[in-house]
Amino acid sequence: SQELEQSPQSLIVQEGKNLTINCTSSKTLYGLYWYKQKYGEGLIFLMMLQKGGEEKSHEKITAKLDEKKQQSSLHITASQPSHAGIYLCGAGNYGGSQGNLIFGKGTKLSVKP
Amino acid sequence: GAVVSQHPSWVICKSGTSVKIECRSLDFQATTMFWYRQFPKQSLMLMATSNEGSKATYEQGVEKDKFLINHASLTLSTLTVTSAHPEDSSFYICSAGGAGVNEQYFGPGTRLTVT
């Protein structure tokens, strides 16, 4: 079965610093999703990447997909306290985008003001 | 964007009782909904796939007789935890993706505590 490994598991950064979170899949990726979650709350959709080499940005968050490496990275520029939370990567379990998702264990981000 | 709601947002019940959790797609029709469970400090794990008008598909290790799923309409799926036990205490999240939707939309989750 496919597994997603996220690194690091947790991260504490000073406000204003940049950071990167990685997500590596044990199998070929059919769509890679990034979500943000505050513990005990629902998931907030950030971005979806489908093609190798694809890169998307939303405000100060950029995500890239390296299909060959079966890996995606999430980069936050000039972090703010509002970026704090748990970041989850999810991958489509089938060839399309309508299947269920499997998730990594998450990266807990804390931003010190 | 598409909105998925869950009700209740939290519930406390006594051991042995049953609890029903609703998942609704508010502004789109969802032929498929997914139910996930998240234990403290762990990731989301898929429990079952709910298909409108047919039986749900359960993941290995998930008891179908304990976690009853009903997807009676294109906008509503329900998860009933029967004869709940303290080990069923968890955060339950549903997601929905209809035809033409490229990403799944997640509900806000339901926190279940069984005493």
Side-chain angles (χ1 to χ4, degrees), chain A residues 37 42 48 98-101 104, chain B residues 36 38 43 46 101-102 104 108:
Chain A
Q37 183 189 29
M48 178 186 69
Q98 300 304 309
N100 67 285
L101 298 180
Chain B
Y36 296 85
Q38 184 181 38
S43 189
L46 179 69
V101 175
N102 292 321
Q104 290 190 17

Side-chain angles (χ1 to χ4, degrees), chain A residues 24-77:
Chain A
T24 303
S25 172
S26 61
K27 293 187 177 181
T28 302
L29 287 167
Y30 293 108
L32 192 289
Y33 301 75
W34 283 100
Y35 292 88
K36 180 184 175 184
Q37 183 189 29
K38 289 192 181 291
Y39 177 66
E41 298 182 14
L43 276 67
I44 300 170
F45 172 76
L46 295 177
M47 270 169 276
M48 178 186 69
L49 305 167
Q50 284 191 302
K51 299 177 183 178
E54 187 173 9
E55 179 177 322
K56 288 187 177 179
S57 294
H58 176 67
E59 297 180 344
K60 294 184 179 180
I61 301 176
T62 301
K64 299 179 184 180
L65 178 63
D66 187 330
E67 202 172 56
K68 289 182 180 179
K69 291 184 179 179
Q70 298 177 177
Q71 184 179 66
S72 177
S73 61
L74 185 81
H75 185 76
I76 299 178
T77 304

Side-chain angles (χ1 to χ4, degrees), chain B residues 93-112:
Chain B
I93 300 181
C94 70
S95 71
V101 175
N102 292 321
E103 58 263 1
Q104 290 190 17
Y105 297 98
F106 284 82
T110 296
R111 174 154 303 285
L112 170 63

Side-chain angles (χ1 to χ4, degrees), chain B residues 4-99:
Chain B
V4 175
S5 70
Q6 279 185 242
H7 178 80
S9 55
W10 60 271
V11 57
I12 301 172
C13 70
K14 291 186 177 180
S15 186
T17 62
S18 295
V19 175
K20 180 186 284 188
I21 302 171
E22 294 184 348
C23 177
R24 293 181 185 273
S25 56
L26 298 185
D27 50 3
F28 69 102
Q29 294 182 330
T31 55
T32 304
M33 290 184 174
F34 302 98
W35 286 96
Y36 296 85
R37 179 168 53 185
Q38 184 181 38
F39 290 108
K41 298 184 180 180
Q42 295 188 27
S43 189
L44 281 78
M45 296 298 292
L46 179 69
M47 297 177 65
T49 301
S50 173
N51 300 297
E52 188 270 334
S54 64
K55 292 183 178 180
T57 303
Y58 291 81
E59 295 300 299
Q60 193 172 13
V62 178
E63 299 176 58
K64 62 179 181 180
D65 294 329
K66 181 172 181 61
F67 298 98
L68 302 178
I69 291 173
N70 185 285
H71 194 155
S73 76
L74 288 171
T75 60
L76 174 65
S77 176
T78 60
L79 169 68
T80 301
V81 183
T82 62
S83 187
H85 291 286
E87 55 263 33
D88 297 325
S89 298
S90 187
F91 191 60
Y92 293 86
I93 300 181
C94 70
S95 71

